[in-house]
Amino acid sequence: MRKRFKKRRMNRKVYPKRMKILFVTVFFLFSMLIVRLGMVQIVNGQSYEKVVEKKESLTVNSPVPRGEIYDRNGKLIVGNKPQRAITYTRTSDTSQEELRKVSKKLADMIDVNIESLTERDKKDFWIWMNPSEADKKVSASEVDRIQSEKGLSTKEANQKIYQLMLERISEREWASFTREEYEMLAIYQNISKGYALSPQIVKNKGVSITEYAQVSAHLDELPGVNVTTDWTRSYPLDHTLRSVLGDVSSTREGIPKDLLQKYLAEGYDRNDRVGTSYLELKYEDLLNGQKKKVKNIIKDGQVIGTKVIQKGHSGKDLVLSIDVELQKEIEKIIQEELSKHIGTKGSPYLDRAFVVMMDPYTGEIEAMVGQKVKEILPNGEVEFQDYSLGTYTTSYESGSVVKGATLLTGYMTNQIKPGERIVDEPLYIKGTPKKASWFNEWGQRTRRISDLFALEKSSNSYMWKVALRIAGSRYVPEAPIQLKGDAFRTFREHFAQMGLGVPTGIDLPGESPGYQGTAEHPGLLLDFAIGQYDTYTPMQLAQYVSAIANGGERIQPHLLKGVREPSNQSPSLGSVVYKKEPEVLNRIDASRDEIHQVQKGFYRVFHGREGTANLFKDASYNAAGKSGTAEAFYKGPNMKKAQPTYNTSLIGYAPFDQPEIAFATVVPWSHQKHDPYINKTISKRVMDTYFE
């Protein structure tokens, strides 16, 4: 009895202990289950949903037309032209045999381009179509020998066998296919490269009504094939501004490799059409638009329906500051004036000219024209091509147009004062040929002239003596020049304030800052002071003269005037999204009086009795500016030796008291001996046209 009671007491102690262990275990297991459920639902929930979605549905993006581009007056520059298109969408488990069947049926219905097919493509196709014959190209013993080679992996051995097979296919064999079979190959290559459940363009150029109708009528026999409407870029103004508008990739090209990672991170697909250059590239984020999102409903690996989950809309429309009517008129003027001299004895290397017109207060570019010889026809007529991009990507020695910047540098460094007179005379520097102003080249005449007359008459000697002062030196006849300090750096830093030798900040990629000479001999400093050493772009010259015209502010030039919502009521523009405001990059570190002194000098260039551009003196718009001629060299692609020639330029603005437009004209390699003044004729006609 006592033993039994004792045993019962022991059992009572054991059971609670076991129960506690059981409860703890159950609690732990339930806790683990709750944690796992939380992991599944909260942490990995979206991943599992995507896995299920891939089997039951998948969201794909459908491209939309890009935004259009207009000029300042609402005239269409770049639009979208609708075109019929045939697409193919494959599923994740579509077999190669299914792709081949679809390709064969489509090849019987539509014509496609086969010029892109290579010899290798055709050999691969032959192997595919003739597998048993292809196997005979490499004997079993050769296969065994290659597979037994030391150091070769299975993959490398198979590649070597396949390469041997390709080499043994004769031209008679791989060239034996019909055009229809080659078309089948081209279609197969196209659709097999597409991504699962992402529409791939089979054909969107030149789809005839017959092709469109025939494919439409047989869609039930062509799983994955669809007929739709696509778009392509159109250019109503033909070649006008074409070189700066840029290009858009095709669906076949997709995103360029150098931009791939950037665009994929932004939600693009690999075969999306994107801007690849210039304006199209610069404003890709605005022009691209919002894609239409469609959910494909999938059952048994086939798309059985679609559901729109996000409506797409076209990209934003760009409004440029360009006046296309003015642009076209200037193109015509340049072509007419160049045609008079191209190929003549006096201008054997003349082949291009540039004009930039810009609002000096806002930086809006109203015209940026570049024309370049494309071909001289047998009848002597000259065919031109648009080279507007050359206004900011190419640079040239600009000559005396920089003398306003040289004077301002002298003022800002306290080496001369406004109105100061300096003797213009031929300079005789030891070890250097005589240097003289163009009007004093053959004589020994000396006369004391003011800074205003130095601009009016374009005195070289005055500018050289200013440069010598900046370099801490003085002119002593027959003595060498000693430069003190860093005169080149001083000049370039001050020229940069006016936009010379530095990027202008124009809203286009690929801008050239110009060329800076590396040698720093004393004679080169004198060349620099008269614009015959460093090179500048026409856009830099326009920014520089604008800074003079507006009283000393360097304004950023820009093409974008505003952004609009896309409009369905053409030709009306949509609502304003963004308006570009003027941006002052810096203020020239000169006093108002010093800048006004240069303005007065520029006025005398256009109106003075001895002004080098006084053909403007009777113009109703009261212009001011500066002409330039620079010694240069031309070396063509088939020339062994560079030939001496001259660049000519002209900058200006009007009206003088309240400027509304500034311009820069550059004519590289305009002549060799006799100056036909092409730069001045073009500029006068351009300004007359603007103020008409």
Side-chain angles (χ1 to χ4, degrees), residues 167-382:
E167 293 172 359
R168 293 177 179 178
I169 299 172
S170 67
E171 182 176 353
R172 181 182 59 81
E173 290 172 319
W174 63 257
S176 62
F177 295 107
T178 64
R179 178 177 177 83
E180 287 73 20
E181 288 173 317
Y182 280 142
E183 288 181 341
M184 168 191 165
L185 171 59
I187 294 172
Y188 174 83
Q189 280 189 337
N190 191 356
I191 65 178
S192 62
K193 292 177 182 177
Y195 299 95
L197 299 170
S198 180
Q200 184 78 6
I201 297 290
V202 177
K203 183 178 181 181
N204 62 353
K205 291 183 179 179
V207 178
S208 68
I209 296 177
T210 302
E211 290 175 327
Y212 196 80
Q214 193 168 7
V215 173
S216 298
H218 294 84
L219 288 178
D220 57 334
E221 304 170 18
L222 299 165
V225 176
N226 194 15
V227 289
T228 184
T229 301
D230 193 30
W231 57 269
T232 185
R233 276 314 216 188
S234 62
Y235 303 92
L237 304 179
D238 200 14
H239 300 297
T240 297
L241 270 181
R242 187 65 188 86
S243 63
V244 299
L245 295 174
D247 294 308
V248 178
S249 63
S250 65
T251 52
R252 187 181 183 87
E253 296 166 338
I255 301 174
K257 287 183 179 180
D258 58 329
L259 299 172
L260 185 60
Q261 295 305 317
K262 174 181 180 294
Y263 284 139
L264 289 180
E266 295 175 3
Y268 284 72
D269 293 328
R270 291 175 181 268
N271 62 343
D272 279 347
R273 283 171 283 189
V274 298
T276 58
S277 59
Y278 306 112
L279 268 176
E280 294 276 14
L281 173 61
K282 175 67 177 180
Y283 293 111
E284 166 66 24
D285 58 333
L286 293 171
L287 292 167
N288 184 51
Q290 177 179 291
K291 293 181 180 179
K292 176 183 179 182
K293 288 188 177 182
V294 178
K295 179 172 284 189
N296 288 321
I297 311 301
I298 305 168
K299 184 177 181 181
D300 298 328
Q302 299 295 322
V303 178
I304 61 172
T306 60
K307 179 182 179 182
V308 177
I309 60 175
Q310 176 182 284
K311 292 183 178 180
H313 61 73
S314 302
K316 300 289 190 293
D317 292 339
L318 305 186
V319 177
L320 304 185
S321 57
I322 292 287
D323 182 332
V324 293
E325 292 302 325
L326 177 64
Q327 178 87 10
K328 290 168 65 177
E329 284 299 315
I330 296 175
E331 287 177 357
K332 181 180 177 182
I333 291 169
I334 290 178
Q335 290 177 6
E336 289 175 353
E337 295 303 325
L338 289 184
S339 296
K340 296 175 183 177
H341 303 281
I342 286 174
T344 62
K345 186 176 181 180
S347 303
Y349 309 119
L350 175 65
D351 73 341
R352 67 192 67 186
F354 306 95
V355 172
V356 176
M357 302 196 81
M358 164 178 166
D359 186 317
Y361 288 98
T362 67
E364 292 182 358
I365 300 171
E366 299 195 28
M368 53 181 299
V369 182
Q371 290 290 297
K372 183 180 179 181
V373 174
K374 181 179 181 181
E375 183 183 5
I376 299 179
L377 302 176
N379 61 4
E381 291 186 9
V382 182

Side-chain angles (χ1 to χ4, degrees), residues 356-361 401 404 408 452 455 541-552 592 594-607 613 616-617 619-627 650-665 683-684 686-688 690-691:
V356 176
M357 302 196 81
M358 164 178 166
D359 186 317
Y361 288 98
V401 292
L408 281 172
L452 296 182
L455 287 176
L541 296 180
Q543 187 180 58
Y544 153 60
V545 74
S546 292
I548 301 297
N550 67 31
R592 188 175 300 275
E594 289 168 343
I595 294 173
H596 186 55
Q597 186 75 355
V598 174
Q599 291 174 342
K600 289 192 292 185
F602 278 14
Y603 183 86
R604 288 177 57 163
V605 171
F606 276 33
H607 296 269
F616 283 88
K617 64 183 179 182
S620 60
Y621 40 84
N622 198 26
K626 184 73 185 77
S627 63
L650 189 68
I651 60 174
Y653 58 91
F656 177 73
D657 295 323
Q658 293 182 322
E660 64 178 74
I661 196 71
F663 74 90
T665 300
S683 299
K684 182 63 165 55
V686 164
M687 289 293 277
D688 288 349
Y690 176 86
F691 282 99

Side-chain angles (χ1 to χ4, degrees), residues 528-542:
F528 182 99
I530 60 171
Q532 300 198 150
Y533 189 39
D534 285 6
T535 64
Y536 310 110
T537 67
M539 190 64 65
Q540 287 174 333
L541 296 180

Side-chain angles (χ1 to χ4, degrees), residues 265 314 328 526 587 641:
S314 302
K328 290 168 65 177
L526 303 187
R587 165 87 192 174
K641 184 179 179 181

Side-chain angles (χ1 to χ4, degrees), residues 17-32:
K17 187 176 181 179
R18 289 177 177 172
M19 289 297 289
K20 288 179 181 178
I21 293 172
L22 178 62
F23 281 133
V24 170
T25 303
V26 171
F27 176 77
F28 178 74
L29 291 174
F30 268 107
S31 298
M32 289 293 293

